[in-house]
C-alpha cells in the first residue's frame, strides 16, 4: 500500500521535469531558425549542405526540496525516534524521490513493519505512517505424532515474544518439511496459520499432515546381462518394501544410501572380474502420491578379466620381492578380484609394519590388456624408514581411567614400531567391553619421519547393567532373574556383580568382585559367595518330578597372573557346604525297628539313597590358559585352550582330583563365514576309600553330566549312565509284558567320571536386512560321550524260581508278582487289620494278632482273628544303561535372534548316533525379556 502511494507522487514530479526538459530543447532550436531567415540568402540543397554541428543544451538545475517537518504515525511499541533511526531522513535535510524510496526500503528491511507509507513529499512536511508487525504470543504444532515437539522446536526460528514475519514462517515451514524428509516422509505437508489477538499479537499454528513413510517400492536395474536383478539387489543396503522386510529400516529412501549402493554394486562387479564396470546413472523418482520411490540404475558391465603377472617391486632392501609375491594368494589365470588386491595391499603394509616400517606406501600398478582380457599388477613398495613410538595419546575416556587403557597397549613410548603389537593392543582394548565396537588405534606422523604417534580415540559405552527379566526355558520352565553388574567399577576396570535367580527347579543368590590389576600390577584377584538350591528331576510321561535336592552354600577366591602375552596361570580356593536330600513324602519309609523315617530303596533306588547326606568340600585348583582370540565377546579369529585341575580334600568330607580340558579355535574363512571348533573333556578320580559294593566312590553331585544345552540333540542330562525303572503291564491278549512307552519309564541320570564333547560350527552371514534384525544363524555337528561309573547294585530283582522274599519279586506261572511286605510298628511288631465283620473294631489297625489294642504293645482285648497289614509294590524291571565311551553324534542348526521380545535362541538338532537309554530332543529354545 505504501509503495503504491509513493509511486504516484514520484510519477507527478517526473512528468513536470520531463515537460521542462522538452520545452528547453525546443526553445534552444529557435535562434538557429531565426538566423537562417534573417540572412535572406538562398539555402543550399539538402543533399549538398553539411549538417549543422551539435548544439550542447544545458539541463536545468535539479529541483531540490528540504524536509521541513518529520514525524511518525502508527507506532505502538516503538518510539518515533526508534522508527526514524532505521532511516536516513532528518529535519532540514535535502531530499529527493530516491531518498524517500530508500527510507521505505530500510524500514521494510528491519522486519518490524507490515506496512509503510510516506506522505507530505510535495510540501516537505514528511509523515511516516507505519503499521508494526505483530508479536508472536505462542507457536503451536498440531498433527505431529512421529516427530516430538521438542525436536521440531530445536529447528524452527519463530518463538514467543519475537516479531512475526511471513518470511520467517516460510523458512520454518521448509525446515519442518526437511525434518520429515530425513525420516523418509516425503508426503509430509505443513500448513501455517495465524490467529490475530488483541494488542497486535498473534498465535502461529503449524498444522502438520505427516503422511506415510515413503518406501522404496521398486529397484530397477537396466543394462545387466550376467547377473540377475535379484542378485544385484542383494548387494545393496536399500531394500524393496516387501512383507519379509517389514521390520527393516532399509526400505525407506535415503539419498546417501543411494550413493552407497552404487559403490556396493561396483565392489561386487570388481570382485567378480568386471574391471570396466560402471554405473552410468542412478535416478530416484517419487511416485505421484508421494508415498513411494522408484529407483532406477543404468549399468555397464563390461568384459571379465583374469589376473595376469603379479609382481612386487620393493625399494626396501630387507624384503624378498619374490617371496612377498608368492605369499599374496593371487595366482595368474584366476578371475580378477579387487578385494584380493586390497587385501594384498594390507598384507604388504602389515608385513612392512612387522619390520618397523609404520608408513609404508604400497601402490598397485595395474597393467590392463583389453585384447587378452588380463590384468597384471605390480605392487610397488616405496622406500621408508624404520619408525619408533614417539607418543601414545588416549582420548575420549571420561569415566575410564587412562591407566586401564594404557595397560592393555603392548607398546611403550620409545619402542620400535610393530604393527602386530598395535593390532594386539587393539584387540585387548576391544575385549574389555568398555567401549564402542570397531575401535581402532590410529597411527599418525610424529615430529620426524621416523616417529609415530599412536592415538586411541575411545567412545565409552554403558558398563553398568541393572536388569529384571522373566522368561520361559525348555530347561528351567518359568524363570525370574534380577541382577546388577558394573564391569568398570569406579573406572578402574573392576567388576562388581550381584544376582538372584529363581525358577521352578533352581534358585540362587550370588555376589562377586574382581580386581584385574591388584596394586596396578598384572595380578588379578576376585571372589564369590553363593547360595544355590538345585532340584534334580526326571519325567514320567509328561509329568516332571523332583528326585534329589542339593543346597550349596560357600565361597571361592580366585587369582591370576600372566606368564606370557598369551598364557595365564589362574589359581582358586573354594569351600562349600552341600546338603543333599530326597522328598520324604515320596521316597522315605519308617525304619521297622526304630520307626525313624529313612530313604526307602524300593521307592527311590539304591543309587539315590546313597547320594543323600550333608558334606563339606574344601578344594584348591589351578588353570593354565592360552588365549589369542581377537575378541572375548564375539571372536572371529584366534584360539583358546584351558587345562585345569581341582583337588578336594584340604579338610572337609570329600576327596577327589578333577581334571578338565577346553579348547576352541575360530577362523574367518571369508565372505562373512566364521568357522569354529570347540573340544572339551574331563575326568574325576576319587581319593576316598570304597563306600560299599555297587557304590561309586565319586558322589552323584560331584560327577560330570552331559546333554542340553551343551550337547544339542539330546535332552538335559540325556547322555550317559542312567537307571531305568520299567513297569510291567498287560498287553491286549492278557499276557504280562514290560512297558514299551519310553515316557512311562522312571529315568534317573547318574552322571559319569569321564566325558568328552566336540562341536564343529559354521556361522552363516545374512544380507544386511536380516543382520539388522539381529539374526545370526549357524549349522553344526557335535560328538561326545559320558561314561565311567561303578555299576550300581539293583534295588530289587526277581526271586529265585519257587521262592519268595522281602527284597525280590516272585514269579508264579511266568507272571511277576507284586512285592508284598508287612508294615511294622515302631517297635518292630507287625500291624494287623481287624476284620470288617467284627462288631466292635471293624477295619481298624492294631498290633494284636487276636483282639484289639489301641496302643502299640498294649493288652489285646477281644477274640477277632486279624490279618496282616501289608503294603504292595507293583513289579518293575530296573536296568543300568548308557555307560559307554562310544560317541554320540548330532547335527543341527540354530539361530540367535535379538528379537523385540528379548534374546531368543532356537535350535533344531537330530541325534544321528545314540546309545541305549539316551534321551534325545529335536527342538530346544530359550527366550526372555527385560522390563
Amino acid at each position: 500500500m505504501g509503495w503504491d502511494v509513493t509511486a504516484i507522487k514520484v510519477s507527478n514530479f517526473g512528468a513536470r521535469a520531463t515537460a521542462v526538459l522538452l520545452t528547453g530543447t525546443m526553445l534552444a532550436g529557435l535562434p538557429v531558425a531565426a538566423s537562417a531567415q534573417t540572412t535572406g540568402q538562398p539555402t543550399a540543397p539538402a543533399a549538398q549542405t553539411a549538417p549543422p554541428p551539435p548544439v550542447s543544451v544545458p539541463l536545468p538545475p535539479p529541483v531540490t526540496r528540504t524536509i521541513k517537518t518529520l514525524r511518525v504515525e502508527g507506532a505502538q511499541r516503538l518510539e518515533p525516534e526508534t522508527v526514524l533511526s532505521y532511516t536516513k531522513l532528518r529535519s532540514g535535510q535535502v531530499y529527493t524521490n530516491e531518498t524517500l524510496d530508500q527510507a521505505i526500503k530500510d524500514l521494510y528491511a528491519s522486519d518490524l513493519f507490515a506496512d509503510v507509507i510516506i506522505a507530505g513529499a510535495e510540501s516537505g512536511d514528511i509523515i511516516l505512517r507505519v503499521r508494526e508487525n505483530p508479536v508472536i504470543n505462542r507457536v503451536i504444532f498440531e498433527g505431529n505424532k512421529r516427530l516430538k515437539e521438542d525436536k521440531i522446536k530445536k529447528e524452527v526460528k519463530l518463538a514467543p515474544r519475537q516479531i512475526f514475519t511471513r518470511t520467517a514462517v516460510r523458512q520454518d515451514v521448509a525446515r519442518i518439511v526437511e525434518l520429515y524428509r530425513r525420516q523418509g516422509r516425503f508426503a509430509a505437508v505443513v500448513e501455517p496459520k495465524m490467529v490475530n489477538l488483541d494488542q497486535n499479537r498473534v498465535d502461529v499454528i503449524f498444522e502438520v499432515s505427516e503422511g506415510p513413510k515413503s518406501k522404496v517400492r521398486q529397484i530397477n536395474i537396466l543394462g545387466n546381462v550376467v547377473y540377475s536383478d535379484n542378485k544385484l539387489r542383494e548387494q545393496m543396503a536399500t531394500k524393496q518394501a516387501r512383507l519379509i522386510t517389514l521390520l527393516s529400516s532399509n526400505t525407506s529412501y535415503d539419498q546417501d544410501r543411494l550413493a552407497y549402493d552404487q559403490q556396493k554394486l561396483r565392489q561386487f562387479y570388481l570382485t567378480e572380474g568386471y574391471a570396466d564396470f560402471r554405473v552410468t546413472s542412478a535416478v530416484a523418482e517419487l511416485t505421484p502420491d508421494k508415498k513411494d520411490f522408484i529407483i532406477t540404475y543404468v549399468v555397464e558391465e563390461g568384459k571379465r578379466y583374469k589376473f595376469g603377472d603379479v609382481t612386487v617391486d620393493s625399494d626396501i632392501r630387507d624384503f624378498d620381492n619374490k617371496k612377498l609375491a608368492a605369499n599374496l594368494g593371487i595366482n595368474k589365470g584366476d578371475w580378477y578380484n579387487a578385494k584380493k588386491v586390497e587385501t594384498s595391499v594390507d598384507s604388504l603394509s602389515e608385513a612392512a609394519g612387522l619390520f618397523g616400517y609404520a608408513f609404508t606406501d604400497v601402490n598397485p600398478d595395474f597393467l590392463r590388456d583389453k585384447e587378452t582380457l588380463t590384468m597384471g599388477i605390480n605392487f610397488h613398495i616405496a622406500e621408508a624408514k624404520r619408525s619408533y613410538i614417539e607418543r601414545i595419546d588416549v582420548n575420549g575416556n571420561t569415566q575410564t581411567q587412562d591407566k586401564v587403557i594404557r595397560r592393555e597397549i603392548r607398546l611403550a613410548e620409545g619402542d620400535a614400531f610393530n604393527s602386530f603389537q598395535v593390532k594386539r593392543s587393539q584387540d585387548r582394548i576391544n575385549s574389555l567391553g568398555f567401549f564402542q565396537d570397531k575401535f581402532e588405534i590410529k597411527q599418525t606422523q610424529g615430529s620426524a619421519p621416523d616417529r609415530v604417534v599412536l592415538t586411541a580415540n575411545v567412545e565409552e559405552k554403558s558398563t553398568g547393567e541393572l536388569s529384571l527379566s522373566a522368561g520361559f526355558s525348555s530347561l528351567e520352565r518359568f524363570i525370574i532373574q534380577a541382577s546388577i553388574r558394573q564391569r568398570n567399577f569406579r573406572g578402574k576396570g573392576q567388576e562388581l556383580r550381584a544376582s538372584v535367580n529363581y525358577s521352578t527347579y533352581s534358585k540362587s543368590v550370588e555376589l562377586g568382585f574382581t580386581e584385574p590389576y591388584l596394586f596396578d600390577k598384572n595380578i588379578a584377584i576376585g571372589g564369590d559367595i553363593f547360595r544355590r538350591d538345585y532340584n534334580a528331576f526326571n519325567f514320567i510321561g509328561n509329568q516332571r518330578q523332583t528326585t534329589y535336592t542339593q543346597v550349596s552354600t560357600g565361597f571361592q577366591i580366585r587369582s591370576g597372573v600372566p606368564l606370557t602375552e598369551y598364557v595365564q596361570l589362574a589359581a582358586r580356593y573354594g569351600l562349600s557346604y552341600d546338603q543333599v536330600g530326597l522328598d520324604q513324602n515320596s521316597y522315605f519309609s519308617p525304619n521297622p525297628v526304630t520307626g525313624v523315617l529313612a530313604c526307602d530303596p524300593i521307592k527311590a533306588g539304591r543309587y539315590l539313597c546313597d547320594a543323600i547326606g550333608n558334606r563339606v568340600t574344601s578344594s584348591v585348583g589351578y588353570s593354565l590358559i592360552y588365549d589369542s582370540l581377537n575378541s572375548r565377546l564375539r571372536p572371529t579369529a584366534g584360539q583358546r585352550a584351558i587345562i585345569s585341575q581341582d583337588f578336594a580334600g584340604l579338610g572337609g568330607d570329600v576327596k577327589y582330583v578333577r581334571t578338565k580340558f577346553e579348547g576352541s579355535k575360530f577362523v574367518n574363512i571369508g565372505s562373512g563365514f566364521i568357522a569354529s571348533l570347540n573340544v572339551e573333556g574331563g575326568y574325576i578320580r576319587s581319593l576316598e576309600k570304597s563306600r560299599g559294593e555297587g557304590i561309586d566312590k565319586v558322589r552323584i553331585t560331584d560327577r560330570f553330566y552331559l546333554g542340553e544345552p551343551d550337547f544339542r540333540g539330546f535332552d538335559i542330562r540325556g547322555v550317559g549312565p542312567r537307571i531305568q525303572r520299567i513297569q510291567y503291564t498287560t498287553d491286549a491278549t492278557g499276557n504280562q509284558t514290560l512297558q514299551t512307552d519310553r515316557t512311562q519309564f522312571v529315568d534317573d541320570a547318574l552322571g559319569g567320571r569321564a566325558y568328552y564333547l566336540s562341536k564343529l560350527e559354521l556361522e552363516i552371514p545374512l544380507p544386511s536386512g536380516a543382520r539388522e534384525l539381529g539374526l545370526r544363524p549357524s549349522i553344526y555337528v557335535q560328538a561326545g560321550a559320558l561314561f565311567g561309573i561303578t555299576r550300581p547294585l539293583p534295588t530289587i530283582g526277581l526271586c529265585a524260581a519257587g521262592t519268595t522274599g522281602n527284597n525280590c519279586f516272585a514269579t508264579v506261572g511266568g507272571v511277576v508278582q507284586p512285592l508284598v511286605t508287612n508294615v511294622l510298628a515302631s517297635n518292630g511288631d507287625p500291624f494287623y487289620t481287624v476284620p470288617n465283620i467284627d462288631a466292635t473294631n471293624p477295619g481298624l489297625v492294631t498290633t494284636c494278632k487276636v483282639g484289639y489294642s489301641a496302643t502299640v504293645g498294649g493288652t489285646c482285648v477281644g477274640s477277632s482273628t486279624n490279618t496282616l497289614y501289608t503294603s504292595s509294590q507293583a513289579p518293575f524291571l530296573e536296568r543300568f544303561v548308557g555307560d559307554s565311551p562310544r560317541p554320540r553324534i548330532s547335527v543341527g542348526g540354530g539361530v540367535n535372534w535379538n528379537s523385540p521380545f528379548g534374546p531368543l535362541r532356537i535350535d533344531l538338532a537330530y541325534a544321528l548316533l545314540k546309545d541305549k537309554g539316551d534321551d534325545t530332543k529335536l527342538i530346544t529354545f530359550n527366550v526372555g525379556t527385560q522390563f
Side-chain angles (χ1 to χ4, degrees), residues 187 190 506 600 621 641 666 807 810:
V190 180
S506 66
D600 188 343
F666 294 83
N807 58 354

Side-chain angles (χ1 to χ4, degrees), residues 253-512:
Y253 172 73
D254 188 328
Q255 187 174 359
D256 294 335
R257 199 184 295 138
L258 187 68
Y260 176 73
D261 286 339
Q262 294 180 60
Q263 185 63 25
K264 291 286 288 183
L265 283 176
R266 176 168 173 77
Q267 288 178 357
F268 171 72
Y269 271 94
L270 289 178
T271 58
E272 296 297 326
Y274 295 89
D276 296 331
F277 172 83
R278 66 191 186 100
V279 179
T280 58
S281 70
V283 179
E285 297 176 294
L286 190 62
T287 56
D289 58 6
K290 294 186 178 181
K291 292 183 178 179
D292 297 311
F293 275 89
I294 297 176
I295 301 176
T296 303
Y297 295 94
V298 180
V299 302
E300 290 183 4
E301 292 179 324
K303 300 294 184 179
R304 195 178 189 188
Y305 287 76
K306 290 185 177 181
F307 280 113
D309 293 325
V310 179
T311 58
V312 174
D313 177 20
S314 174
D315 293 339
I316 301 176
R317 289 176 293 179
D318 294 341
F319 295 163
D320 187 326
N321 294 338
K322 292 183 178 180
K323 287 184 178 180
L324 289 175
N327 293 327
L328 291 179
I330 300 178
N331 299 317
K332 183 177 181 179
D334 291 347
W335 291 112
Y336 173 76
N337 188 329
K339 182 65 176 177
K340 287 186 176 181
V341 177
E342 182 180 341
T343 303
S344 298
V345 171
D346 292 340
S347 65
L348 290 173
S349 298
E350 290 178 5
L354 293 175
F355 287 89
Y357 299 97
F359 302 106
T360 307
D361 190 10
V362 181
N363 293 313
D365 296 326
F366 297 93
L367 307 174
R368 188 192 311 257
D369 190 331
K370 294 187 177 182
E371 295 183 0
T372 60
L373 295 179
T374 57
M375 182 76 73
I377 303 176
N378 177 57
F379 294 95
H380 180 256
I381 304 176
E383 178 68 37
K385 293 184 178 180
R386 279 193 172 90
S387 304
Y388 298 87
I389 307 300
E390 177 178 346
R391 191 174 69 253
I392 300 175
D393 295 332
V394 177
N395 303 319
N397 53 314
T398 57
Q399 301 295 330
T400 306
Q401 296 183 7
D402 265 23
K403 65 179 182 180
V404 174
I405 303 171
R406 291 182 180 276
R407 66 195 182 195
E408 303 299 332
I409 298 177
R410 314 325 283 169
L411 291 165
E413 295 174 353
D415 288 352
F417 176 83
N418 187 300
S419 60
F420 175 78
Q421 296 288 14
V422 173
K423 180 65 169 58
R424 176 63 178 166
S425 304
Q426 184 175 297
D427 291 343
R428 289 180 65 94
I429 294 175
N430 272 323
S431 294
L432 292 175
F434 303 161
F435 312 108
Q436 298 294 341
D437 296 338
K438 299 182 180 178
F439 160 78
E440 292 184 3
I441 296 179
K442 303 295 184 183
Q443 307 166 24
T444 56
Q445 182 76 54
S447 59
D450 61 345
R451 295 290 182 266
V452 181
V453 175
L454 300 181
T455 305
N457 293 316
V458 300
E459 183 180 351
E460 292 183 319
K461 65 181 180 181
S462 176
T463 55
E465 301 170 8
L466 173 62
S467 67
L468 295 174
S469 63
F472 184 85
S473 166
S474 59
L475 300 180
E476 297 293 324
R477 302 298 192 239
F478 187 69
I479 302 171
I480 297 176
Q481 297 178 332
S483 66
I484 182 171
R485 182 186 182 198
Q486 175 54 261
R487 294 181 290 108
N488 189 14
F489 184 57
R490 299 188 300 165
K492 294 183 176 181
Q494 301 166 339
E495 181 176 318
L496 183 65
R497 59 191 177 277
S499 65
V500 177
N501 299 318
Y502 175 87
S503 72
T504 308
Y505 296 97
S506 66
K507 307 168 186 65
S508 69
V509 178
E510 297 189 30
L511 300 173

Side-chain angles (χ1 to χ4, degrees), residues 75-147:
Q76 295 179 352
R77 297 186 307 273
L78 302 175
E79 296 293 332
E81 292 79 6
T82 302
V83 177
L84 291 174
S85 68
Y86 287 98
T87 71
K88 297 180 180 179
L89 301 180
R90 300 292 182 269
S91 296
Q93 174 185 335
V94 175
Y95 70 93
T96 63
N97 283 351
E98 288 76 11
T99 305
L100 300 180
D101 287 347
Q102 186 60 44
I104 292 175
K105 293 178 181 179
D106 292 340
L107 289 173
Y108 275 121
S110 69
D111 282 338
L112 296 174
F113 308 101
D115 196 13
V116 179
I117 298 175
I118 295 181
E122 297 179 357
S123 64
D125 295 319
I126 304 299
I127 303 173
L128 298 179
R129 294 193 177 100
V130 297
R131 180 161 58 88
E132 295 176 351
N133 274 328
V135 174
I136 297 173
N137 180 55
R138 291 184 302 168
V139 179
I140 303 171
F141 303 94
E142 296 181 352
N144 56 306
K145 297 179 181 178
R146 302 293 179 178
L147 276 177

Side-chain angles (χ1 to χ4, degrees), residues 562-624:
L563 302 180
T564 68
E565 175 63 25
Y566 298 105
V567 180
Q568 182 181 15
L569 177 64
R572 56 191 167 272
Y573 171 76
L575 181 67
S576 65
Y577 176 62
D578 297 321
Q579 299 167 280
V580 182
L582 293 170
D583 182 9
Q584 293 187 0
N585 295 328
S586 301
Y587 301 109
F588 276 52
S589 297
N591 186 286
V593 178
T594 64
V596 177
L597 288 175
C599 181
D600 188 343
I602 296 178
K603 295 181 179 179
R606 292 182 184 273
Y607 47 90
L608 290 184
C609 289
D610 293 337
I612 63 176
N614 301 336
R615 60 189 66 98
V616 174
T617 302
S618 175
S619 65
V620 62
Y622 74 92
S623 295
L624 194 62

Side-chain angles (χ1 to χ4, degrees), residues 597-672:
L597 288 175
C599 181
D600 188 343
I602 296 178
K603 295 181 179 179
R606 292 182 184 273
Y607 47 90
L608 290 184
C609 289
D610 293 337
I612 63 176
N614 301 336
R615 60 189 66 98
V616 174
T617 302
S618 175
S619 65
V620 62
Y622 74 92
S623 295
L624 194 62
I625 306 168
Y626 173 84
D627 189 348
S628 64
L629 298 178
N630 64 344
S631 172
R632 297 173 192 167
L633 305 177
R634 190 181 171 189
T636 59
Q639 50 199 7
R640 178 182 174 89
I642 305 174
I643 298 176
S644 61
Q645 281 189 311
D646 289 278
F647 303 88
L650 299 178
D653 307 311
V654 181
K655 297 179 180 180
Y656 61 74
V657 178
R658 181 168 52 206
T659 305
K660 285 187 64 176
F661 169 78
E662 299 175 60
S664 57
K665 184 176 180 62
F666 294 83
V667 179
N668 188 338
I669 59 179
S671 301

Side-chain angles (χ1 to χ4, degrees), residues 133-137 157-165 168 172 202:
N133 274 328
V135 174
I136 297 173
N137 180 55
K157 301 301 183 184
L158 293 181
R161 295 182 297 278
Q162 289 187 354
I163 302 300
F164 170 86
T165 65
D172 281 349
V202 293

